[in-house]
Amino acid sequence: METMKRLCVAAMLLVTACIGAKAQETANITATDAKSLQLALRQAREWRRTGDPRCKNGISITLKAGRYYMEEPLFLRPEDSGTKASPTIIRGEKGAVVCGNPRQQHTQLWPKEGMARMLNFDTQKRTITIPTPPKEVLERIPTAEQPDQLFEMVVHQRWAVAILRIKSFAVRGDSTVVSFMEPESRLEFEHPWPQPVIGGERGNSSFLLRTTELRDGIEQLVIVDGANHVRFQGLTFEHTCWNRPLHKGHVTLQGGFPLVDAYKLKENPGLPWDEGLENQAWIERPVSAVTVRNAREVDFSDCRFLHLGATALDYESIDDGTITDCTFEDIGGTAIMAGSFAESPREVHRPYSDLANQCRELNIIKNTIHDAANEDWGAVAISCGYVRECTIWENTVSHVNYSGICIGWGWTPHDTGMTGNIIEGNTVSDYARQLYDAGGIYTLSNQPGSRITDNQISQPFPAPYATNNRAFCIYLDARTDGFTLSGNTTEGRPIRRDEIGDNHPGPNLIFKQ
């Protein structure tokens, strides 16, 4: 009943949006390029400010067919807010594309296909030893005569990858010792989880060498910050870059979240809330093409997110939003992100109970996500951190390098504020293509009154470079609790208990598979 109530509310929102968009009931402004789009938004803001009677039933900004090249993001502020009776609707005619720059180009140098196994990972000297690359690869190391390229090593490490800018090679016969630039060198070698595996269950971690063009491009297309009652309909968001690896490398904790500081507790590890804790980490949020924060009732329907360098759509903080019937394809990072992940200045491993209130009553309904996490393999299709009363319903997820649908953060059995989250009726396939410690559906921490029901989940992809076998249809990771699991299937049959991974689960899990 709870799910149906939420879905009925979402349906009412969509019906209202369709009615509100009729020309005879809304004030209409037309845009034909990026400049006129900015001016249209300013005009709508002025109508709101002056109480113009034309916006009594809402304001509709219509983007005519064409490409809207953004040199800076479209920024919606509190002054751009509508009301329930008079929403602001930004909609596109067929062929309306809000876009930036094509993504930076990468050229894999060695090995030409796939990855190679590393030989050694030295945390003291901060070096990685690899088989010596061919002469023609070593000769391509960028010099002053090649200032437009960056030489990188992409490192496979269980549930994440690291992108490390190469500082130097030291060839020693059949092996070569590689050192790296800062800050990624410090972060890669000081933080214990994840790190590459040497001599693990299924062999050593892998790597590849590549060049990347040194070119920054626009990363963000739209930022909604403090604006309420805004709806985006029928738009395509396309082509953004991801500049961070060019300047800082990219070393992550999990889920694509970059570390800004991290180290291992070497003396007397453990803290009052977790006696076994040995690692400290502070993270920042990945950049997104479209960002929503400090907002209420901001919705996306029938939109397309294509060829984006990092996160596609990010709801940092929202009260009652809906994402429905949208398509996400060729996404470099996470397709849909929501909620706080205890970003810096907070340390991520502490138990927090206040963050879930920042993202509540978010409905992610009937979206199609294909080919996400193709730049940062540790990103996912749908990633929700500290959220509450969030419904993820009837989405289709496929071709993802790590987990499919993730909900929860904190690695803690304590009160998290996360409650009443529902993952129901989704189809997840072709996941864990590169990284393991993964799940078609993946959870963390204590989330009372939550459920995972009636989802169809394929078996994990046989990832070629995984160093362990930890991939599951459903993975109840660190301290997961408070969920009821029922009606979930794989390959046309109920998911067995041994196809559900767990890691120190709580006492209040209910299995009805």
Side-chain angles (χ1 to χ4, degrees):
M1 290 296 294
E2 185 180 2
T3 304
M4 290 305 300
K5 179 181 177 182
R6 294 185 191 179
L7 296 179
C8 286
V9 170
M12 290 173 64
L13 284 172
L14 294 178
V15 170
T16 304
C18 292
I19 293 173
K22 291 183 179 179
Q24 66 269 29
E25 295 189 4
T26 60
N28 286 279
I29 309 171
T30 298
T32 57
D33 56 24
K35 182 177 180 180
S36 63
L37 174 57
Q38 296 279 7
L39 292 174
L41 185 62
R42 184 175 297 184
Q43 177 66 78
R45 185 184 305 138
E46 289 302 297
W47 283 351
R48 297 284 187 195
R49 182 181 66 82
T50 60
D52 194 296
R54 283 175 288 189
C55 59
K56 176 182 178 181
N57 295 312
I59 300 174
S60 179
I61 299 174
T62 300
L63 280 66
K64 307 295 285 186
R67 299 185 70 81
Y68 293 68
Y69 291 98
M70 307 299 292
E71 296 183 355
E72 60 179 331
L74 183 70
F75 206 133
L76 280 76
R77 302 171 173 84
E79 292 75 16
D80 298 307
S81 294
T83 65
K84 277 189 175 293
S86 175
T88 296
I89 302 166
I90 302 176
R91 62 185 183 90
E93 292 185 349
K94 185 177 181 180
V97 180
V98 179
C99 57
N101 310 107
R103 280 149 60 174
Q104 294 94 344
Q105 295 296 309
H106 307 300
T107 301
Q108 185 165 337
L109 296 178
W110 188 72
K112 288 296 185 181
E113 295 182 2
M115 306 184 82
R117 298 291 187 184
M118 64 176 58
L119 303 177
N120 186 48
F121 183 83
D122 192 323
T123 57
Q124 298 300 313
K125 296 180 179 178
R126 297 185 180 178
T127 59
I128 294 175
T129 302
I130 64 174
T132 296
K135 180 180 179 182
E136 60 269 20
V137 174
L138 294 174
E139 288 175 345
R140 290 196 61 180
I141 298 174
T143 64
E145 288 73 37
Q146 296 174 301
D148 60 337
Q149 288 188 329
L150 179 71
F151 215 42
E152 295 175 330
M153 177 183 286
V154 179
V155 181
H156 184 294
Q157 40 198 47
R158 287 177 260 196
W159 60 85
V161 292
I163 302 174
L164 310 174
R165 297 171 299 165
I166 293 174
K167 181 179 180 180
S168 68
F169 282 97
V171 178
R172 297 173 181 171
D174 292 338
S175 63
T176 293
V177 179
V178 189
S179 63
F180 308 96
M181 299 183 187
E182 300 293 356
E184 63 266 38
S185 180
R186 172 180 59 85
L187 297 169
E188 173 72 359
F189 292 98
E190 286 192 3
H191 190 256
W193 300 105
Q195 280 185 345
V197 173
I198 300 295
E201 296 175 36
R202 293 170 56 182
N204 296 354
S205 287
S206 305
F207 71 93
L208 61 87
L209 304 179
R210 71 182 186 186
T211 59
T212 300
E213 62 180 350
L214 284 170
R215 179 183 61 81
D216 286 338
I218 188 169
E219 296 180 301
Q220 297 182 279
L221 301 175
V222 176
I223 300 174
V224 180
D225 193 351
N228 304 324
H229 303 287
V230 178
R231 300 172 189 157
F232 294 85
Q233 300 174 353
L235 287 167
T236 294
F237 302 95
E238 185 174 280
H239 286 147
T240 54
C241 291
W242 180 36
N243 299 331
R244 189 181 196 280
L246 300 179
H247 306 287
K248 299 180 180 180
H250 184 60
V251 181
T252 65
L253 177 72
Q254 187 172 341
F257 281 84
L259 293 167
V260 296
D261 196 8
Y263 57 88
K264 183 175 182 177
L265 298 173
K266 296 180 180 179
E267 295 184 11
N268 303 315
L271 291 164
W273 53 88
D274 189 341
E275 61 182 16
L277 185 65
E278 64 174 1
N279 53 323
Q280 298 279 276
W282 293 262
I283 61 174
E284 67 182 23
R285 203 173 187 94
V287 71
S288 58
V290 179
T291 300
V292 178
R293 57 178 175 252
N294 307 316
R296 174 176 296 179
E297 293 191 34
V298 175
D299 306 326
F300 289 79
S301 63
D302 194 30
C303 291
R304 300 197 307 159
F305 297 79
L306 309 174
H307 317 307
L308 303 172
T311 304
L313 175 59
D314 185 2
Y315 275 64
E316 290 188 28
S317 46
I318 184 72
D319 189 352
D320 192 1
T322 299
I323 308 165
T324 186
D325 291 315
C326 293
T327 298
F328 299 78
E329 190 166 356
D330 186 21
I331 307 300
T334 293
I336 299 174
M337 183 176 288
S340 172
F341 289 80
E343 298 91 333
S344 182
R346 300 197 189 212
E347 199 281 325
V348 296
H349 298 97
R350 292 173 177 261
Y352 298 108
S353 60
D354 62 313
L355 295 177
N357 282 322
Q358 297 178 15
C359 187
R360 56 190 302 164
E361 297 187 27
L362 175 63
N363 300 291
I364 303 172
I365 299 172
K366 292 189 173 182
N367 302 286
T368 299
I369 301 171
H370 176 77
D371 188 19
N374 57 34
E375 291 276 0
D376 181 348
W377 296 352
V380 302
I382 299 174
S383 180
C384 298
Y386 286 97
V387 298
R388 61 184 300 156
E389 297 156 23
C390 176
T391 297
I392 304 172
W393 186 74
E394 287 199 358
N395 300 279
T396 300
V397 171
S398 61
H399 200 85
V400 186
N401 285 316
Y402 180 46
S403 296
I405 298 172
C406 301
I407 194 163
W409 201 244
W411 304 272
T412 178
H414 297 284
D415 175 25
T416 62
M418 296 184 286
T419 183
N421 294 316
I422 297 170
I423 305 175
E424 183 172 285
N426 302 281
T427 300
V428 182
S429 62
D430 198 21
Y431 61 95
R433 292 184 58 84
Q434 297 287 356
L435 304 175
Y436 268 25
D437 276 79
I441 293 175
Y442 175 99
T443 62
L444 281 171
S445 298
N446 185 19
Q447 304 183 44
S450 298
R451 66 176 186 263
I452 301 171
T453 55
D454 301 326
N455 300 283
Q456 300 178 47
I457 308 168
S458 73
Q459 292 292 308
F461 188 87
Y465 306 105
T467 54
N468 63 30
N469 296 301
R470 296 184 62 78
F472 310 93
C473 295
I474 300 173
Y475 188 9
L476 309 175
D477 200 2
R479 314 293 185 173
T480 291
D481 203 1
F483 280 90
T484 296
L485 286 75
S486 65
N488 301 293
T489 61
T490 184
E491 299 177 343
R493 58 170 174 79
I495 294 175
R496 299 190 307 266
R497 183 64 183 89
D498 65 342
E499 295 169 319
I500 300 173
D502 52 46
N503 179 11
H504 298 90
N508 301 306
L509 291 166
I510 300 173
F511 297 92
K512 298 180 179 179
Q513 290 298 108

